[in-house]
């Protein structure tokens, strides 16, 4: 009797595990947050946290969008003060690497001119995401950048 109870208990536990796994696969919760239905991708964000309605407000205007983004690729866009833009970089078949980039003209709307050019590179190498940038200053303006694995922030402080 004890052995039958143990077998029944083991079978019940297996049934619970299988049912949870199958429901997780159906609702997609087993997927990595960076995998989409289109394939393996990694999400990246560009944040413009400059302050609107000040002489230090900035607008990022995309001028070049490289290949390497997931389909559909991002379109030409602007990122205004206190806005952000999300990108999905396509990864190779193993999900270990991929790279893409975007170039922005950094515009001060108050003075109505570009103050610099920002090149943002987003990539994954050996499974580790990184975001790097290169900024070319056209004229002096208080601007700072912070990067993390999957983001860059543009600040005017």
């Amino acid at each position: 009797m004890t052995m039958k109870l143990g077998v029944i208990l083991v079978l019940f536990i297996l049934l619970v595990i299988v049912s949870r796994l199958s429901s997780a696969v159906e609702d997609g919760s087993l997927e990595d947050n960076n995998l989409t239905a289109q394939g393996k991708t990694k999400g990246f964000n560009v944040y413009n946290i400059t302050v609107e309605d000040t002489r230090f407000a900035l607008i990022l205007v995309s001028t070049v969008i490289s290949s390497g983004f997931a389909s559909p690729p991002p379109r030409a866009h602007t990122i205004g003060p206190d806005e952000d833009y999300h990108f999905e970089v396509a990864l190779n078949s193993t999900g270990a690497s991929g790279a893409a980039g975007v170039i922005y003209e950094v515009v001060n709307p108050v003075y109505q001119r570009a103050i610099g050019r920002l090149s943002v590179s987003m990539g994954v190498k050996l499974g580790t995401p990184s975001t790097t940038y290169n900024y070319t200053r056209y004229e002096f303006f208080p601007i700072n950048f912070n990067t993390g694995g999957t983001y860059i922030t543009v600040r005017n402080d």
Side-chain angles (χ1 to χ4, degrees), residues 60 106 117-118 133 135 143-147 152-155:
L60 307 178
V106 180
R117 175 172 284 205
L118 173 63
Y133 72 94
Y135 182 68
I143 186 170
N144 294 301
F145 306 95
N146 268 347
T147 59
I152 181 169
T153 59
V154 179
R155 306 175 68 100

Side-chain angles (χ1 to χ4, degrees), residues 39-154:
K40 294 182 179 182
T41 66
K42 181 68 177 173
F44 291 84
N45 291 297
V46 175
Y47 297 101
N48 178 354
I49 55 176
T50 63
V51 180
E52 192 170 7
D53 296 329
T54 70
R55 62 188 179 105
F56 299 116
L58 298 173
I59 297 173
L60 307 178
V61 180
S62 66
T63 58
V64 177
I65 298 173
S66 75
S67 61
F69 288 106
S71 183
R75 297 179 182 201
H77 60 278
T78 61
I79 307 173
D82 203 28
E83 294 180 352
D84 61 83
Y85 197 87
H86 181 76
F87 296 92
E88 288 290 327
V89 174
L91 302 179
N92 65 3
S93 61
T94 65
S97 63
V102 63
I103 297 175
Y104 293 100
E105 285 294 311
V106 180
V107 177
N108 177 280
V110 174
Y111 299 113
Q112 298 181 353
R113 64 179 178 248
I115 61 154
R117 175 172 284 205
L118 173 63
S119 175
V120 180
S121 298
M122 299 163 258
V124 176
K125 188 173 182 181
L126 299 174
T128 303
S130 68
T131 303
T132 59
Y133 72 94
N134 185 9
Y135 182 68
T136 303
R137 183 185 313 255
Y138 299 160
E139 60 183 81
F140 179 77
F141 202 85
I143 186 170
N144 294 301
F145 306 95
N146 268 347
T147 59
T150 60
Y151 69 91
I152 181 169
T153 59
V154 179

